[in-house]
Structures are given as C-alpha cells and as structure tokens.
Amino acid sequence: MGRVSSPLSPAGFSALLTSEGLTLLEELRDHDPAQELALATKLRREHPAELVSAALAQARLRQRAVAKFGAEDAARMFFTPNGVEQATRTSVAAYRAGAFEELGVRSVADLCCGIGGDAIALARAGIRVLAVDRDPLTCEVARANAEALGLAGLIEVREADVTEVDTAAYDAVFVDPARRGGRGRIFDPEAYSPPLSWAVSAALEAPRAALKIAPGIPHEAIPAEADAEWISDGGDVKEAVLWFGTAPGRMRATLLPGPRALVGRGLPDPEVRSVGRYLYEPDGAVIRAHLVAEVAEEVGGGLVDETIAYVTSDELHATPYATAYEITDQLPFNVKKLKALLREREVGVLTVKKRGSAVEPEELRRKAMPKPFGRRAVTVFLTRVAGAPTMLVGAPVG
C-alpha cells in the first residue's frame, strides 16, 4: 500500500513523450493509486526510475482530470498539478468557445493559457489560437495536449510574458489570470497575475475580449464597459467572465447544461413576505449575478428576509433558475424540537442547507438525527425569517 510522490520535472515530462513513456502511460491508465509502491518496484525493474515516477504521477493526474475533461480526453492529455486544479472544465470552455464563434471570432489570443483547456475548446470550434504562458513546462504540456488531440494545426503555443505579447492580429483576446498564489486563492483582483486592471486594458484594446475572473468579485470592481456573466455547471458556480465588445453593463447568469441565460433587468429588491407553501433556492450563478429579483418576479414571490437569497411563494412555478421545495413546517431554531419532528415523521435521510446561519449543517445533522428514524427524506433550511433564526422543513418538488 502507498503512493509514489514525484513533482513533474521538465526532464521527466520529456521522457513521458517518448515511445517508452507513452507505452508506460497506457499501461497505467486504470492503475490503482493505493498499490503504487508495489507497482513502482515492479516497473523500475524494466524502466528508468525517473520515468516510472513521472508516469505514475501523470497517471494520477489523468484520473483526477476525468471530472473536468472526461475519460477519453483525460486519458490522452498531459497535466501538471496546478493545471488540473486551475483548468476550465470542458463543458464551460466549450460553451465559451461557442460564444466566441457566434460573435464571428475566427482567431483568439489566449493569454495565461495554462495546460490549454480553453485553447482546445476554441480550436475544436474551428478558431485559430495563440496560447501564451510564461512557464516553460506549462507551455510544453499545452503543446503536447494540442498534439495529442490533433489540434496542433490550430494552436500555436508561445512561452512569453503575456503583457509583452502583441495581440493586434487576433479577432479577440481571452485572459485567464492566475488567481492562486503560494498561500492559496487570491481574492484581490489587483493581486491576480496579471492584475485585473492590466487585463481590462488589454480587453479594451481588442475588438472582442473575455476575462475569466473569480465568481466572488465585488460588483463595484466590474468595469462599466463589461458584460458580466456568471456561469454554473450542474448547479455549481464555476466562474465569472467579463465580456468586452458585446453588451456593456449587462448582468447575466448562465446555467449549464443548456445553456440557459437569465439577464438582469434592473429590478428593485423583492419585498419581504411571510413564508408560503414553496421555497425557491436560486442557482448560485443567479445569486452571484444579483438576479434574485428576476427569479422572484418569475415565481410571483418575495424574500423570507431582506438579507437572505431565499424566495418564497404560495404557488409553484417551474423555473430553471431555482430549485423549488414544498415547505411543511416552520420552526424557531431549536435542536430538540427538530429532533422530535424528525422522529415523528420517521425521517431517515436529512439534508441540511443554510443561508444566514452560523450553524454548521453537519453539526446539526449529528445532533438532530444521531441515527435514522425511518426512511423518509426531508430538507431543513437554516436561515432567518424576518430577522429571526428559523428552521424551514420540506422536500424538493418533483
């Protein structure tokens, strides 16, 4: 039992691209990471130790990458640890490439290209790409990915400082600044690499542009010239994008798969009302885009609290932009009362969601239902109603 740990070195990566390295990677496609020490010992009898370490590390990265790139592409591509972590998932990259294509873009300067996830999607849409990154190994990986997927004819990989690249010959610019440092995520847009201000300047000089940013960016940091889009995939918020050369001042939430797009109409904040029969939980992209009012209007509802993004209504309305729950009980926050209700209802599966509460869902689940009381499933919302800590009990509709 155990795992072989090895950082990806330029020499190790070059060895992976040899016929021996590619054959070894194919043999490791379905390997069990828990058995790596024994497997490494066996393989080192037949192959150089550095190659074995690099291949095992790459095989692990390929397995991690399946969630973002799919099994078929992940098995052919090459990765770095940071590349797997920071790359755009295929569904989002393909959606964005399609958006560029609809805008008539035929060539893109992809600045801060990383391992090439977005460049691949753009090339598959028939768009010619200049992929730029300043890290030599990352460029080698991006170049290898273009080759492995048969896209080298459309993707030129260049090792350079993106701030020094002339993009005038391209229809559009795409910038994905590094938002992680030695201490983890970077929340200040001016601490991105390159800074957001530089990326905006580069975008304004191009006919079309898209800047990938963290979804938590403060709205006041969004330039007036930008068309701001928040994207979720399968209900999980993945990123925000500032588009230039499209619709300045627009705010929208895009939900994948679909895509489905909710566009802001500048509505005032919804009124607060008493909890009705149904509770609507807006998609995270809708919340980030500050479009809860649009959802409330769509379902004929109001807010349970002026500071909480839960919408309530007496009527059920189908909407792709929020999940509807039928509420059966409204209780002041009290663990004993909740436990008694769960026992009475014979609940065996408890889902806890929270918004506006300091209580940790797992802690409440452990205290309120130490063991299953039956087979029924319910959802408990820890929130505030008219300022008071409240528990709303219900179940998803449909």
Side-chain angles (χ1 to χ4, degrees), residues 84-128:
V84 172
E85 181 72 24
Q86 299 178 22
T88 305
R89 68 172 51 221
T90 294
S91 55
V92 178
Y95 160 72
R96 183 165 38 246
F100 270 122
E101 185 181 18
E102 289 180 7
L103 290 170
V105 169
R106 306 307 305 157
S107 61
V108 172
D110 178 3
L111 308 181
C112 310
C113 68
I115 61 170
D118 280 284
I120 289 165
L122 289 164
R124 282 176 167 167
I127 296 172
R128 180 171 57 88

Side-chain angles (χ1 to χ4, degrees), residues 176-191:
D176 182 5
R179 296 180 300 282
R180 285 182 180 271
R183 297 183 178 180
R185 290 185 180 180
I186 297 172
F187 297 98
D188 177 6
E190 284 308 294

Side-chain angles (χ1 to χ4, degrees), residues 81-208:
N82 285 340
V84 172
E85 181 72 24
Q86 299 178 22
T88 305
R89 68 172 51 221
T90 294
S91 55
V92 178
Y95 160 72
R96 183 165 38 246
F100 270 122
E101 185 181 18
E102 289 180 7
L103 290 170
V105 169
R106 306 307 305 157
S107 61
V108 172
D110 178 3
L111 308 181
C112 310
C113 68
I115 61 170
D118 280 284
I120 289 165
L122 289 164
R124 282 176 167 167
I127 296 172
R128 180 171 57 88
V129 185
L130 170 65
V132 183
D133 202 282
R134 66 182 179 184
D135 180 67
L137 178 58
T138 299
C139 287
E140 286 299 317
V141 173
R143 195 171 289 114
N145 285 335
E147 290 279 356
L149 299 179
L151 299 169
L154 284 170
I155 300 175
E156 175 195 348
V157 180
R158 183 183 301 175
E159 180 190 336
D161 184 330
V162 297
T163 64
E164 298 175 358
V165 175
D166 183 1
T167 62
Y170 295 84
D171 296 339
V173 168
F174 174 63
V175 188
D176 182 5
R179 296 180 300 282
R180 285 182 180 271
R183 297 183 178 180
R185 290 185 180 180
I186 297 172
F187 297 98
D188 177 6
E190 284 308 294
Y192 292 174
S193 181
L196 179 61
S197 57
W198 178 88
V200 170
S201 297
L204 291 173
E205 293 176 1
R208 309 275 191 184

Side-chain angles (χ1 to χ4, degrees), residues 4-21:
V4 174
S5 178
S6 174
L8 184 62
S9 67
F13 180 69
S14 296
L16 291 177
L17 302 181
T18 65
S19 58
E20 182 181 11

Side-chain angles (χ1 to χ4, degrees), residues 270 272 303-310 355-356 383-387:
V272 176
L303 299 179
V304 300
D305 185 277
E306 64 180 358
T307 63
I308 304 296
Y310 283 141
R355 185 159 293 149
T383 188
R384 291 194 304 272
V385 173

Side-chain angles (χ1 to χ4, degrees), residues 343-398:
R343 184 184 293 110
E344 177 187 336
R345 302 286 171 82
E346 297 182 340
V347 172
V349 180
L350 175 62
T351 299
V352 181
K353 293 175 172 283
K354 74 166 188 172
R355 185 159 293 149
S357 172
V359 178
E360 289 300 323
E362 187 57 43
E363 178 186 356
L364 179 67
R365 189 183 295 110
R366 185 173 60 252
K367 291 180 178 179
M369 199 176 73
K371 63 179 180 179
F373 299 125
R375 295 184 178 181
R376 187 180 176 189
V378 302
T379 299
V380 174
F381 293 88
L382 302 178
T383 188
R384 291 194 304 272
V385 173
T390 303
M391 300 183 295
L392 301 177
V393 183
V397 176

